[in-house]
Amino acid sequence: MTYDFDTSPVPADVVRRQYLASAAGDLDALRSTLAPDVEWTEMAGFPLAGTYRTPEGVTSQVMERLAAEWDDWAVHDDTYVADGENVIVLARYTAVNKATGKAIDVRVAHHFTVRGGLIVRFEQFVDTAKVREAMR
C-alpha cells in the first residue's frame, strides 16, 4: 500500500513528517504534527529535562532553545519500529555547542504515541552525560 507522505495518518509517517519539519526548521509544519494536548518529555539529566505541553510549548521550549544553544542541531532518524500507535525511532543527535565549541554525536531512542494522525506523546532516551560533557 502506498501513502501520500504529506497527509498519511499512518503513525510512522506522522513521526517522519515531524523529523523532516524539524530538520527544515519549519516550526509551523512541526506543530501541525502535534496534538493540542501533546505531552513531550525530555529525559531527566538532559539540558531541557521536563515535560512540555501544547505544540507551541514544545517548539518554544525545546526546538527554539536547542537552536539557541547549539549549532547544526540535527536528529538522524535511521530505524523505525512501529506497533499500532507506538513508534520507536533509533537515531543520533549531532550538534556543536555554541558556548564551548564541543561537538556531540550520541545515540538516542524516541518513543512516540500517535493517535488520529497526531503525536500525542513523546519520550526521549539519550546518554545525557555525553550531551552535558559537550556543554562544559
Side-chain angles (χ1 to χ4, degrees):
M1 181 177 258
T2 303
Y3 295 99
D4 178 357
F5 194 73
D6 291 333
T7 60
S8 172
V10 172
D13 291 347
V14 174
V15 169
R16 180 70 178 139
R17 277 199 321 272
Q18 177 273 150
Y19 284 121
L20 291 170
S22 179
D26 187 342
L27 297 184
D28 287 334
L30 192 150
R31 283 189 287 270
S32 76
T33 67
L34 304 177
D37 59 347
V38 65
E39 290 184 6
W40 188 279
T41 302
E42 300 285 317
M43 187 169 172
F46 192 71
L48 304 177
T51 298
Y52 304 92
R53 292 175 174 79
T54 78
E56 293 76 19
V58 170
T59 55
S60 68
Q61 295 300 309
V62 179
M63 284 53 175
E64 291 178 14
R65 287 176 58 194
L66 288 171
E69 297 172 13
W70 298 85
D71 284 324
D72 302 319
W73 183 272
V75 180
H76 309 272
D77 52 320
D78 53 33
T79 303
Y80 285 65
V81 179
D83 182 18
E85 65 184 15
N86 294 291
V87 180
I88 306 298
V89 180
L90 304 178
R92 287 182 305 112
Y93 290 154
T94 58
V96 176
N97 185 267
K98 289 182 179 184
T100 66
K102 294 179 183 177
I104 60 167
D105 185 344
V106 297
R107 293 292 291 163
V108 300
H110 293 159
H111 174 210
F112 293 88
T113 304
V114 179
R115 288 189 193 118
L118 295 172
I119 297 166
V120 297
R121 186 169 296 125
F122 165 87
E123 187 174 8
Q124 170 203 58
F125 301 89
V126 62
D127 185 344
T128 59
K130 288 190 176 199
V131 176
R132 289 200 171 274
E133 182 179 303
M135 299 174 73
R136 292 189 230 134

